[in-house]
Amino acid sequence: MKALILHPRDGSVNVEEINPPIPGPNELLIPWVPWRSTPSTGCTDFAGTVLGKGGEVNDERVKIGARIAGFSQGGVFGRLGMPCPFGRAAGPGEPVNCLIYGSSTSLGLYVAQLVKLVERTSGQRIRLIGAASASKHELLRQKPYNYDVLVDYRDESWPDKVRAATDGKGVDFAMDCISEGITVERVESTFGPSGGRFAVIRALQGGKYDPRKMRVKPAYGAVWEGVGVEIGYNENSRAREFAAEFYRFLGSGAARGEIMLEPNPIRIMPGGLDKIVPDGFALLGSLRVSDRGASNRTEEYMRPIRMEKLVYSLIE
């Protein structure tokens, strides 16, 4: 079978022929293609059909032929400490301010929906503030995002405008969906004297920021913690329990035709596996969003990525 193979030693990616993998006792076999519109997802978003499963998989939802999806890196609950929508309602309290920098990124679109979900289920009033290109503001004010305040990230004074929107109190929660150098410092500057909770999507090495300059320290973690086993990140059984409950909640309305989160806009890319590297990776550019530029390709599907996911199909 064909597979897209990453070689960590030199960072190369190639389509290669491999033997079909055999799932372990607690594993599923799912042929999938990465949905990657942001490098930070690290190919962890997937959608596919279950072809095989291990003998110890007893989840009744996971049957051969079932269509499933999973994994989206984020930090609304674990990193920011917001009340879980499937947990006990916190009840109304003083309104709080939540900033999402990079609101029009694929991750940012989901974070906004999760914050609004928290507001609905907990009763906690949340003023949702976003930083994105001004051209995206009209869409971000609409459902399902419903931003209360939006600022243009190109405006050098945007942190001042965020603080003004909070009546000078500063934000209580912030998530930087870019997390590259100065963006982390500028997001951190929007907190008030009492501080708050701050989540980023890149570690120090990748983001190249200095937490020593910050009063509110950014919290970083990876979605792989939710697997609950050692795969380059510390084993975390509590994260595994949370991840299982979270995805169970997201799929709880599927049988009734209800969804908890609206899917992001997508761009169907042609060519399948063979075109991911020459086309998809060309659009993504380097690992840094700030370095991503326009492609010199003229095909319509090679236009710059804007507020959407790139999707490749295994079968053309």
Side-chain angles (χ1 to χ4, degrees):
M1 63 177 291
K2 282 186 175 182
L4 189 68
I5 304 297
L6 169 65
H7 300 277
R9 288 189 177 183
D10 60 8
S12 63
V13 182
N14 302 295
V15 175
E16 302 177 10
E17 289 285 343
I18 65 170
N19 293 324
I22 299 175
N26 287 295
E27 296 178 343
L28 300 174
L29 177 59
I30 306 166
W32 61 280
V33 177
W35 292 31
R36 282 194 64 183
S37 61
T38 53
S40 59
T41 61
C43 289
T44 55
D45 297 346
F46 70 86
T49 301
V50 178
L51 291 187
K53 63 179 183 178
E56 296 179 17
V57 177
N58 54 17
D59 191 324
E60 62 181 15
R61 299 170 300 169
V62 184
K63 300 176 181 178
I64 302 299
R67 297 176 62 195
I68 64 175
F71 268 12
S72 180
Q73 183 168 326
V76 174
F77 309 120
R79 309 301 168 197
L80 293 187
M82 286 188 167
C84 298
F86 49 83
R88 191 172 182 178
E94 290 295 320
V96 297
N97 299 294
C98 178
L99 169 65
I100 302 174
Y101 183 86
S103 304
S104 63
T105 63
S106 181
L107 176 60
L109 297 179
Y110 280 124
V111 174
Q113 293 187 68
L114 289 171
V115 171
K116 287 300 180 180
L117 191 57
V118 167
E119 185 177 52
R120 292 197 303 271
T121 57
S122 71
Q124 171 68 62
R125 173 71 180 100
I126 302 174
R127 181 187 286 119
L128 185 57
I129 306 170
S133 171
S135 64
K136 302 297 185 293
H137 287 187
E138 182 177 355
L139 179 59
L140 292 171
R141 290 190 182 97
Q142 300 174 18
K143 294 181 179 181
Y145 315 114
N146 298 310
Y147 274 87
D148 299 295
V149 178
L150 287 160
V151 298
D152 187 349
Y153 79 96
R154 293 188 176 92
D155 182 349
E156 288 296 321
S157 65
W158 73 259
D160 297 327
K161 293 180 178 179
V162 169
R163 287 188 290 270
T166 67
D167 300 321
K169 297 178 182 179
V171 302
D172 303 286
F173 302 94
M175 184 161 186
D176 185 349
C177 296
I178 304 297
S179 303
E180 295 176 358
I182 193 64
T183 72
V184 182
E185 294 181 24
R186 303 204 78 193
V187 171
E188 192 274 340
S189 73
T190 63
F191 284 94
S194 59
R197 301 287 292 272
F198 181 20
V200 295
I201 65 167
R202 298 180 192 272
L204 296 177
Q205 298 84 351
K208 300 187 184 305
Y209 52 86
D210 187 355
R212 295 174 297 181
K213 299 179 180 179
M214 306 173 202
R215 182 170 47 88
V216 180
K217 305 302 181 185
Y220 168 77
V223 68
W224 297 284
E225 291 180 353
V227 177
V229 296
E230 177 64 45
I231 48 173
Y233 291 82
N234 293 331
E235 181 176 343
N236 190 330
S237 58
R238 291 183 61 188
R240 173 67 179 84
E241 292 173 4
F242 171 83
E245 186 65 23
F246 176 65
Y247 283 106
R248 188 175 296 111
F249 167 74
L250 287 184
S252 60
R256 302 185 301 275
E258 300 175 1
I259 57 174
M260 299 300 176
L261 299 177
E262 291 288 338
N264 285 346
I266 63 173
R267 182 191 307 180
I268 302 296
M269 298 290 287
L273 278 176
D274 292 330
K275 290 295 185 179
I276 291 178
V277 175
D279 292 353
F281 281 28
L283 283 172
L284 291 172
S286 74
L287 290 178
R288 292 174 60 85
V289 176
S290 57
D291 293 338
R292 189 183 300 167
S295 169
N296 58 6
R297 300 271 295 277
T298 59
E299 300 95 325
E300 194 277 335
Y301 61 83
M302 291 298 291
R303 66 187 184 276
I305 302 170
R306 296 287 186 271
M307 214 168 175
E308 59 192 342
K309 282 274 194 180
L310 302 184
V311 178
Y312 284 87
S313 175
L314 280 171
I315 302 174
E316 287 292 314

